[in-house]
Amino acid sequence: MAYLRWDHDEQELMSFELRVHTTGWVAFGFSPHGELPGSDIVIGGVFPDGSIYFSDYHVVDEATLEEDDSQDYQLLSVTENETSTTMVFKRHLRTCDPNDLDITVDTARLVTAFGTDDTVQFFKGQRFFKSLFLMRYRAPSDSTDPKTFFTYDLRLDNFAVPLEETKYACTFIPLPMVNQKHHIYKFEPVITPHNISLVHHILAYACGNASVLPSGIGDCYGANPDFALCSQVLVGWAVGGESYQFPDEAAISIGTPWDPQYVRLEIHYSNFDLLPGLIDSSGVRIYYTPELRKYDVGVLQTGIFTFPVHFIPPGAESYRSYGLCNSSQFDEMNGMLVPDLHVFAYLLHTHLSGRGVKAAQYRNGEQLRIICEDDKYDFRLQEIRDMKETLIIKPGDEILVECNFQTLDRSGITFALEGMMAMDFVDWDNETVKIAEKAAKEADQVVMIKTINELQRNETGLIRDISIPERAACHNISGYLSLSGLRATANLRLTAAGTSESSTTKETASLPLLSLTQLVFAWLILASEERK
C-alpha cells in the first residue's frame, strides 16, 4: 500500500510526498502510457546504517533501468520507521532532460514500486500503476459547506440489467419539491457496490416543464423516442469520477417557476461479460440548500453528435473527429439575451477507443485559446476538473471539440449505433484512414442546437484548424543539486512538510534549497490496484 500527497505552485514546481508500507527501497514515477519502457523514475530509501540514497532514473526496456545524467528531482526528505518509508521531493513540471516526462494537464500514468530491503531490484519488486490528474487547482478544503442542507437520491430501483454488452436505461424522476428557490451545491455517485465495474456513466438531464414524460424504465435510444426526451445535462458522473462540489459563489437553481421539475436519469451499463442476474439501484445523490449562492450554474454540452452515421475506421493509430458549437443563435433560441458564460470546470467524455479530447474557442474566426484538453485520456478516469482560471464565452463564439481515437485492436468499423455495416468493403490502411478523416473534416458541417424545451435548430459550420500553443520553457536544475548539510536541516524540513514520524525514525535528509509548500491533494494509489 502506498499513499501520495502532492501540490504545485506558480513557479511550475510540483511537490510530492510518497509513503510506502515497506522498510526497503521505494520508487515513484511517470509512465508514457501505463507501461514500463520510457518511464521516468526516482528511487530512494534509508540504509540500515541511517545513510540515504535517492536518484533519478529512466526505464529503457522491460529489463533495463539507467540512471539519468541530469538529476532533476530535488530531494527534501527521506525517512523510515518500523513499517514505512517516506520520500518528499520536488521537480519542475517540465525539465530539460529528454529522459524526464512532462507534467501537464493530461492524465498522468503513475508507477510506484518497492522492495523489502535496500537492495534495489526494480524489475523484481512489486509494481503498481494508477491514472491521476495532477494539475488540480481547487482543493476540497477550498469549498464551504452550508449550515443547512438536504440530500435527495435520483436512482433506479432494483433494475434487472439485461444480458447485453451495452444498455442505456432511462427513467424520469421528480426533483425535490421546495416552496422557494434552493441551490444544488454538490452531487455524488451512488453505485450499487458489486456493480462498480458495470456502470459506465450516469447522467441527469433537466426536462422542460411542458414535456409529456413516459413512466417506467425504458431503452433511452430504442423504439420509444419519448425515453430520449430531455437533453440538457443537469449533473453527471462517469467511470473514475467522484463527488463534485461547486465553487462557493455558484450552484444549480431549483424551486423557481423557470427551473425544471423532472429529470431524465440515464445509466449506461457495460456488461461485457454478459453476467446474468444483475440487479442495480445506482444513481446520483444531490445536496441542496436554501442558502443561496451569488450565481446560478448551467451546463453547456458540446461535442460530436453521433447520430446517424459517425464512425471510426479500424486499424487507426490516430483518427480525429470534430464537433462544432456555434453560440450565435443562443439569444434567439433562448427567447432572451444570453449573458457571457463564465466557464469554471469541464468534463471530457468518450469511450474505449478514445485517446485524447480537446476543446478550442474561436471568436470572429480566430482561435482564442484551448479551453481544455487531455492528450492522454484514460477511459477509467472521467472526472470533473476545475479550470485554472475562469474563462468567458461570449455570444457568437464557436467551440470546437476534437476527439482522437485509436483502433489498432479492431478489425471492423466502430459505429455509434449498432447494426450499421456500410463501408465495410473499404480496405482500411493508414492512407484510407487519413482520407476518411480529411473528408469528414472538410465536409459541410451540421451544427445542431437544442434547448431544454426540445427546441432544435440546425446550422452549418466550418471545422477550423486547432493551433497548439508553444510549450513553456524547460528548467535545468541538475547542476544546482548538492547533498551538503542534509542532517543539519532535517527536523526543520520535516516539520515544513507536515509529516509526522515516530521517535524510531532512522534518519531524515533534506535539501536546503527550497521550502516545501503545503501538500493539499492526496490519494491512496495502490489499494485495490492490480499488480503488473
Side-chain angles (χ1 to χ4, degrees), residues 152-156 167-176 201-209 211-222 224-237 260-268 282-284 286 301 305 448 450-452 454:
Y152 186 84
D153 287 354
L154 306 168
R155 303 170 63 175
L156 294 183
K167 175 68 176 181
Y168 289 83
C170 279
T171 191
F172 295 86
I173 303 174
L175 285 167
H201 75 237
I202 304 172
L203 291 170
Y205 296 93
C207 296
N209 292 334
S211 301
V212 179
L213 306 175
S215 59
I217 301 174
D219 189 335
C220 303
Y221 309 105
N224 186 349
D226 287 347
F227 280 97
L229 290 172
C230 314
S231 53
Q232 179 176 305
V233 174
L234 191 73
V235 296
W237 172 90
Q261 298 177 12
Y262 274 78
V263 299
R264 171 167 66 94
L265 180 68
E266 172 187 298
I267 300 185
H268 177 195
S282 298
V284 177
I286 60 175
Q301 183 182 10
F305 189 60
M448 190 192 79
K450 198 171 186 179
T451 70
I452 188 174
E454 304 300 315

Side-chain angles (χ1 to χ4, degrees), residues 11 129 157 161 177 220:
Q11 284 70 49
F129 293 83
D157 184 15
V161 180
M177 298 297 294
C220 303

Side-chain angles (χ1 to χ4, degrees), residues 396-416:
D397 287 357
E398 292 181 341
I399 309 299
L400 178 64
V401 175
E402 177 189 88
C403 295
N404 186 19
F405 302 98
Q406 185 181 87
T407 55
L408 294 175
D409 59 341
R410 304 188 183 192
S411 58
I413 291 177
T414 300
F415 286 102

Side-chain angles (χ1 to χ4, degrees), residues 276-288:
L278 296 178
I279 304 298
D280 188 67
S281 297
S282 298
V284 177
R285 176 169 297 143
I286 60 175
Y287 293 73
Y288 62 103

Side-chain angles (χ1 to χ4, degrees), residues 136-152:
R136 299 175 184 268
Y137 301 106
R138 190 164 64 94
S141 59
D142 295 333
S143 300
T144 304
D145 290 324
K147 295 180 180 179
T148 302
F149 68 91
F150 310 93
T151 63
Y152 186 84

